[in-house]
Amino acid sequence: IQARAAQGHPAIIGDVDIRHPIFSLFAQSSAGAIFRPQFREYMRIEPDSSATVVARYDTGDPFLIEQTVGAGRLLVYTSTFNADWTDFPINELYIPFVYQLVKYALEGQERRHAFLVGEPVRLQGEPGQSWDVRTSDGRQLQVTLDADGVGFFNDTSLPGHYAAALGNQRFPFAVNVDVAESDLSARDLAEAVAAVVPPPDDVARTVEMARTIEVEDEERKQKFWRYLLILAIALFAGETLLANRKRAPV
């Protein structure tokens, strides 16, 4: 569709479901920023009743369509990803839009194919069948399915890429280290250093050492005040002697 021929001017994004995960990011952007790109041409697609129109042009034609296909999602963007039909690629929201588009399309797949170290991986099939699993360090292991056709692969102690196979079925998955282990926000620099550096000799390691250090510290404080008192008395005595000293006649 050539928008100028259809309505006398380029099309713009006229209606958006701002609650949709793809566009929710733009709810906090400057007002109307997502509606600024112009589309000189686009493909006119008539979605069936099982599809959802996530956004439309101001002509009423679909801009972005979503449809569930099996366990995945099909997203149809009706313009171009270059500048042939639109100036969207030079808009400041284009890169965030494409990122949100890909992230949403792959979201379900990432959940099914990404696990944490130590997390069991659920495998399914016919009862008694065996999945062959190649671990990240090259070992070949097997998981035999129970009477319900379910089995769990538990040897996920090493991070990396794994591959499970059952006949013609392939199930690649990744095992990752929990990102929480690299989060140092919960402890300050001094705490982090103390965790790896041996404490100095004057730091208590037991209750008895703490009591001994406390007594020694108290004695040091008493000695300090004792020396300070002696110094004050000496200064006072010296001042008295100087004040009472007889002056020689002039």
Side-chain angles (χ1 to χ4, degrees), residues 135-152:
T135 65
S136 60
D137 58 350
R139 290 176 296 145
Q140 296 288 340
L141 303 175
Q142 278 194 337
V143 176
T144 301
L145 306 183
D146 60 17
D148 297 324
V150 176
F152 291 91

Side-chain angles (χ1 to χ4, degrees), residues 29-67:
S29 63
S30 56
I34 192 64
F35 302 109
R36 294 172 187 166
Q38 296 185 353
F39 298 83
R40 299 179 298 276
E41 296 182 47
Y42 60 85
M43 293 292 296
R44 174 174 286 171
I45 297 178
E46 297 291 340
D48 62 23
S49 58
S50 64
T52 301
V53 178
V54 182
R56 295 180 181 273
Y57 298 105
D58 60 344
T59 61
D61 291 320
F63 166 76
L64 183 66
I65 305 170
E66 176 184 355
Q67 186 170 21

Side-chain angles (χ1 to χ4, degrees), residues 27-243:
Q28 305 301 324
S29 63
S30 56
I34 192 64
F35 302 109
R36 294 172 187 166
Q38 296 185 353
F39 298 83
R40 299 179 298 276
E41 296 182 47
Y42 60 85
M43 293 292 296
R44 174 174 286 171
I45 297 178
E46 297 291 340
D48 62 23
S49 58
S50 64
T52 301
V53 178
V54 182
R56 295 180 181 273
Y57 298 105
D58 60 344
T59 61
D61 291 320
F63 166 76
L64 183 66
I65 305 170
E66 176 184 355
Q67 186 170 21
T68 300
V69 180
R73 298 186 179 106
L74 173 66
L75 295 170
V76 179
Y77 166 65
T78 59
S79 189
T80 58
F81 284 101
N82 55 28
D84 289 348
W85 289 3
T86 173
D87 63 0
F88 195 16
I90 63 174
N91 185 276
E92 69 272 15
L93 296 182
Y94 177 71
I95 297 299
F97 167 75
V98 174
Y99 177 81
Q100 289 294 105
L101 195 70
V102 175
K103 179 182 176 182
Y104 179 72
L106 297 178
E107 190 176 37
Q109 184 176 1
E110 288 177 352
R111 284 198 298 264
R112 292 191 301 272
H113 291 263
F115 302 86
L116 297 179
V117 168
E119 184 179 1
V121 179
R122 191 173 190 267
L123 301 172
Q124 289 181 286
E126 297 296 328
Q129 289 183 320
S130 294
W131 281 84
D132 295 317
V133 182
R134 180 175 54 81
T135 65
S136 60
D137 58 350
R139 290 176 296 145
Q140 296 288 340
L141 303 175
Q142 278 194 337
V143 176
T144 301
L145 306 183
D146 60 17
D148 297 324
V150 176
F152 291 91
F153 178 71
N154 297 306
D155 196 353
T156 56
S157 58
L158 294 177
H161 294 283
Y162 292 65
L166 176 60
N168 294 326
Q169 298 184 60
R170 297 292 183 270
F171 180 68
F173 61 93
V175 175
N176 302 309
V177 177
D178 192 347
V179 294
E181 296 182 9
S182 61
D183 182 11
L184 299 180
S185 60
R187 55 171 57 186
D188 56 20
L189 179 60
E191 185 180 358
V193 172
V196 296
V197 177
D201 295 335
D202 59 349
V203 175
R205 298 182 180 86
T206 63
V207 177
E208 290 74 14
M209 288 181 64
R211 291 174 180 171
T212 302
I213 292 175
E214 183 178 0
V215 172
E216 293 175 351
D217 186 55
E218 189 66 29
E219 290 180 352
R220 282 195 298 268
K221 292 180 180 179
Q222 292 178 359
K223 289 180 180 179
F224 170 77
W225 287 108
R226 189 180 302 122
Y227 293 147
L228 186 61
L229 180 59
I230 293 174
L231 179 60
I233 293 174
L235 290 174
F236 180 74
E239 184 181 2
T240 302
L241 291 175
L242 289 175

Side-chain angles (χ1 to χ4, degrees), residues 4-41:
R4 188 176 295 276
Q7 61 179 11
H9 56 81
I12 61 173
I13 304 173
D15 184 26
V16 169
D17 182 2
I18 205 67
R19 299 167 300 177
H20 193 279
I22 293 177
F23 292 102
S24 60
L25 175 69
F26 307 116
Q28 305 301 324
S29 63
S30 56
I34 192 64
F35 302 109
R36 294 172 187 166
Q38 296 185 353
F39 298 83
R40 299 179 298 276
E41 296 182 47

